[in-house]
């Protein structure tokens, strides 16, 4: 996968040129030079095969070992200590932000090109901007942007979907993800 290869090369460059990184310096280097390779245009090419997802996650795992003293921690603990999330969660977040932009008219693209409203006369749960999912015969269609985001979008609470601005939506979404993580870890 080309994105993982490019990011790995940058990790090697950072490893050779910065011998002792602290958390602040690492986050600056990681967010500026490494993560953009892993996330560039991800709504268009988002991986759906487990092996491709693992390849990208392995690059981030390798990057988090660059910090002095962090190699002894598990990957999840390193992410918590750094205040970053998995790339899978970042892709889901990016997808939901793009859906919000389309559904709220903040994007200059007509939402009907991607989504159709859900028929939810019978279902009173959830929010008022639900979208429908079409049947897909091929994986390439099933994992395309307009299909893979439907379930995640439809599960969001009304207050997140009704956000006034993109920044408010991002903040509410991040809080929602944190609440889900806390509930998942206590269950």
């Amino acid at each position: 996968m080309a994105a993982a290869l490019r990011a790995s090369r940058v990790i090697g460059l950072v490893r050779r040129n910065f011998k002792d990184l602290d958390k602040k310096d690492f986050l600056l280097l990681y967010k500026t030079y490494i993560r953009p390779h892993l996330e560039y245009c991800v709504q268009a090419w988002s991986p759906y095969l487990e092996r491709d997802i693992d390849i990208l996650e392995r690059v981030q795992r390798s990057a988090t070992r660059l910090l002095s003293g962090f190699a002894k921690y598990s990957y999840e603990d390193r992410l918590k200590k750094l205040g970053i999330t998995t790339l899978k969660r970042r892709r889901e977040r990016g997808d939901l932000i793009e859906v919000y932009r389309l559904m709220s008219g903040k994007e200059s693209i007509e939402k009907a090109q991607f989504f159709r409203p859900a028929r939810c006369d019978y279902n009173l749960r959830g929010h008022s901007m639900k979208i429908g999912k079409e049947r897909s015969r091929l994986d390439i269609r099933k994992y395309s942007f307009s299909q893979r985001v439907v379930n995640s979008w439809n599960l969001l609470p009304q207050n997140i979907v009704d956000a006034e601005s993109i920044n408010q939506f991002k903040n509410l979404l991040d809080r929602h993800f944190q609440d889900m993580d806390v509930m998942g870890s206590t269950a």
Side-chain angles (χ1 to χ4, degrees):
M1 187 178 260
L5 183 62
R6 283 191 301 271
S8 294
R9 287 180 182 153
V10 175
I11 290 171
L13 184 76
V14 169
R15 184 176 286 125
R16 284 187 301 276
N17 291 300
F18 297 93
K19 297 297 178 203
D20 193 26
L21 284 174
D22 64 352
K23 181 178 171 181
K24 183 181 147 208
D25 292 338
F26 169 77
L27 287 173
L28 178 67
L29 290 168
Y30 177 72
K31 290 178 180 179
T32 305
Y33 296 112
I34 300 168
R35 192 164 67 186
H37 289 289
L38 301 172
E39 293 183 344
Y40 176 72
C41 209
V42 75
Q43 280 71 34
W45 66 266
S46 186
Y48 61 90
L49 295 175
E50 281 300 318
R51 69 171 187 241
D52 294 337
I53 293 169
D54 289 342
I55 288 170
L56 291 176
E57 212 63 53
R58 204 173 312 132
V59 172
Q60 180 167 288
R61 183 176 285 117
S62 170
T64 58
R65 284 194 202 108
L66 290 173
L67 274 145
S68 303
F70 267 59
K72 63 184 175 188
Y73 298 113
S74 70
Y75 176 55
E76 291 76 21
D77 289 341
R78 289 193 303 261
L79 292 179
K80 284 179 188 172
K81 287 182 183 294
L82 291 169
I84 57 179
T85 62
T86 63
L87 293 172
K88 184 176 182 178
R89 175 57 60 90
R90 295 254 328 152
R91 284 191 299 274
E92 181 181 11
R93 180 182 185 267
D95 284 347
L96 290 172
I97 291 168
E98 191 58 34
V99 173
Y100 172 76
R101 287 178 174 160
L102 289 166
M103 297 299 283
S104 63
K106 295 185 181 345
E107 200 72 74
S108 62
I109 301 170
E110 184 60 38
K111 65 183 173 188
Q113 291 179 347
F114 291 97
F115 309 113
R116 62 175 176 76
R119 292 176 293 172
C120 56
D121 320 341
Y122 55 88
N123 189 358
L124 300 176
R125 292 184 182 193
H127 57 82
S128 59
M129 294 175 61
K130 286 192 173 190
I131 51 181
K133 192 169 194 174
E134 297 175 17
R135 292 185 60 144
S136 305
R137 189 173 59 86
L138 301 174
D139 279 350
I140 195 156
R141 173 72 176 139
K142 183 164 75 173
Y143 294 107
S144 68
F145 172 72
S146 62
Q147 295 299 303
R148 73 172 178 261
V149 300
V150 172
N151 293 340
S152 298
W153 175 259
N154 288 344
L155 289 173
L156 291 177
Q158 185 73 42
N159 68 319
I160 296 177
V161 174
D162 288 340
E164 298 287 324
S165 68
I166 293 172
N167 283 334
Q168 184 184 15
F169 178 81
K170 289 177 183 179
N171 292 333
L172 291 169
L173 184 63
D174 290 341
R175 205 169 307 131
H176 177 69
F177 281 155
Q178 287 174 348
D179 292 345
M180 285 177 31
D181 289 344
V182 168
M183 288 173 43
S185 66
T186 59

